[in-house]
Amino acid sequence: MTQKELKDLWKAALGEIQLNISKANFLTWFRNTSLIDLKGDTIFLGVPSNFAKEWLENKYQKIILQSLNHLNPQIIKIEYLVSEGNPDLDKIQTTQQARLAKKPNLEATEEQLNFPEFAIDPETNLNPRYTFENFIVGSNNELAHAAALAVTENLGSKYNPLFIYGGVGLGKTHLLQAVGNKVKKENKKLKIKYASSEKFTDELVKAIGKQSMDSFKASFRNVDLLLIDDIQFIAGKDKTQEELFHTFNNLYEKNKQIIFTSDRPPKAIPSIEERLRSRFEGGMIADIGYPDFETRLAILKAKTQNSNVFIDEKILRYLAEAIPKNIRELEGALNRIIAHTRLKNAPLTLDEAKNVLAAIITNTHQYLPLKDVISKVASFYDLSEEELLNHSRKKELVKPRQVAMYLLREELKYSYTNIAEKLGNRDHTTVIHACKKIEQELTNNPVFSQEITLLKEMLYNQ
Ligand code: ADP
Ligand code: MG
């Protein structure tokens, strides 16, 4: 086939593909694609980045193949070739050359696929991505960091309990789990348990229901290190507080280490029993504040290095300037830049980066109607709104539906019951479960996190 014939064939196929998927997806995923060669039954499709390759392969393979096969029945297989940096694949004349061009990226793909599986350890509940090695120390968290590190070396004897508090997205969970991961790594025999205070309550409620209090008690008391995250949520929960008090005393008497985190100091947690408050205050209290500019920049640089993507220092400075009070948001913005760099397969300019970030930096409070969320999520996943709202349990429908629930909760701050009602009259516990599931996957699966980043972008931009 000549280059001209390949071009015409692709044009015709794109015409057909366009009819089958949403415009936004078409523009996003088929931009800068071209046919490079036909050999036997295999068509070689050039794509601009590994990221695009993964998407096309996972989501559009069938449509692409169908439309090509329709036009030329000889075609029954697709191979994707990633062009490096240069989307102008017309320049690549032969498959041979394309294969050469593909090589370095093939390695990158493997690397991407080999993202360390941030599998949560079922025994400890620890996520291995949170380590001391990747925790950047600045003046805002110096004390908390030093105390946490000291605890790993003097388990149960130096600061017990350690109580770490600070605002949302400032690194409390990271530090707490870093202690667990380090202790586990250095001594596999030690028993460690990480739980949010909500999880503690959940398990307690279940244990009461199933009359299995003994095993509940054992699971929190037969440990060398107990890590309880977001303790502020025990406010007003009497039974939880009582059980926690006894758990605490039991561990403390055995010189077992306990660490709590909270979004506020013990004094500021409303409705907790005095005896518990005084336990919290009985060891070491360390706070985490807002990071200064240098720390924010250092965090961004470290995370950029891990991503294997080049990002201009100017962009990092711009980001660090724009998002001063929340490291999670800072990371979210950086992920967006990384996703776009992968899509473009070339470094972004500062202006492009500003464009990409415009949606989050200026529009965080932009009004976004509910029906838009539903229709855009449906279109993003190439489903009809009806499919998104119905009660089918097909895997390809369940996930998008959960994503829609999560976005309504996160972006529009809808209540669980409201979401349940709006998304086809379900039980509100289904919504709670969905939001948790998506949050979990966001922490564990970087590719999924990029997907949601792009989806949010489409929500606000189009
Ligand atoms: P919190 O529990 O205080 O709400 P997290 O511990 O979940 O915050 O932190 C939010 C995100 O920011 C996490 O992805 C975490 O890895 C990252 N982060 C926070 N502080 C730091 C730091 N000092 N160095 C590197 N990453 C950090
Ligand atoms: Mg946290």
Side-chain angles (χ1 to χ4, degrees), residues 45-200:
L45 177 58
V47 297
S49 66
N50 283 308
F51 194 44
K53 170 178 182 279
E54 254 173 59
W55 267 82
L56 291 172
E57 231 172 358
N58 292 335
K59 296 201 21 156
Y60 300 116
Q61 171 99 335
K62 208 165 129 201
I63 296 179
I64 300 173
L65 201 55
Q66 265 171 5
S67 19
L68 284 168
N69 179 268
H70 212 183
L71 296 159
N72 182 341
Q74 183 190 340
I75 301 172
I76 54 171
K77 260 171 43 199
I78 307 180
E79 266 208 35
Y80 297 85
L81 300 176
V82 180
S83 79
E84 220 191 355
N86 182 2
D88 193 2
L89 281 163
D90 285 352
K91 291 202 187 104
I92 300 174
Q93 289 299 330
T94 66
T95 316
Q96 205 62 32
Q97 277 166 307
R99 277 191 186 285
L100 286 177
K102 174 188 166 189
K103 256 214 152 140
N105 266 322
L106 197 76
E107 280 154 24
T109 313
E110 272 156 19
E111 219 166 61
Q112 276 167 18
L113 293 176
N114 279 341
F115 262 123
E117 275 291 333
F118 292 124
I120 293 175
D121 181 331
E123 187 202 316
T124 61
N125 284 329
L126 289 169
N127 184 331
R129 73 174 273 240
Y130 296 119
T131 63
F132 276 105
E133 286 73 30
N134 62 19
F135 187 84
I136 305 287
V137 184
S139 52
N140 63 312
N141 57 27
E142 222 175 342
L143 177 66
H145 174 264
L149 205 54
V151 161
T152 64
E153 278 148 23
N154 308 273
L155 217 54
S157 58
K158 191 157 187 181
Y159 303 130
N160 205 12
L162 171 61
F163 190 101
I164 300 171
Y165 74 90
V168 178
L170 294 180
K172 302 181 297 293
T173 298
H174 188 138
L175 204 51
L176 185 67
Q177 296 214 18
V179 172
N181 281 320
K182 183 163 191 278
V183 169
K184 185 86 207 169
K185 195 169 149 198
E186 285 167 5
N187 190 343
K188 299 242 177 321
K189 285 197 198 116
L190 292 180
K191 285 203 133 184
I192 300 167
K193 184 163 173 112
Y194 165 87
S196 65
S197 74
E198 287 161 301
K199 175 106 172 130
F200 184 88

Side-chain angles (χ1 to χ4, degrees), residues 6-21 26 29-35 45 56 63-64 67-68 71:
L6 285 167
K7 217 171 185 163
D8 290 344
L9 173 63
W10 192 225
K11 217 168 151 187
L14 285 177
E16 209 175 304
I17 293 167
Q18 200 169 6
L19 296 177
N20 287 304
I21 72 176
F26 182 76
W29 304 114
F30 288 86
R31 187 174 54 188
N32 295 335
T33 54
S34 62
L35 294 186
L45 177 58
L56 291 172
I63 296 179
I64 300 173
S67 19
L68 284 168
L71 296 159

Side-chain angles (χ1 to χ4, degrees), residues 135 139-145 147-148 161-173 175-176 228-232 259-269 280-281 284-290:
F135 187 84
S139 52
N140 63 312
N141 57 27
E142 222 175 342
L143 177 66
H145 174 264
L162 171 61
F163 190 101
I164 300 171
Y165 74 90
V168 178
L170 294 180
K172 302 181 297 293
T173 298
L175 204 51
L176 185 67
I228 303 274
D229 208 354
D230 287 320
I231 196 72
Q232 73 272 8
I259 311 182
F260 298 105
T261 72
S262 161
D263 68 350
R264 63 201 84 177
K267 277 201 173 34
I269 306 177
F280 293 159
E281 289 173 338
M284 163 86 174
I285 300 184
D287 73 327
I288 300 186
Y290 295 134

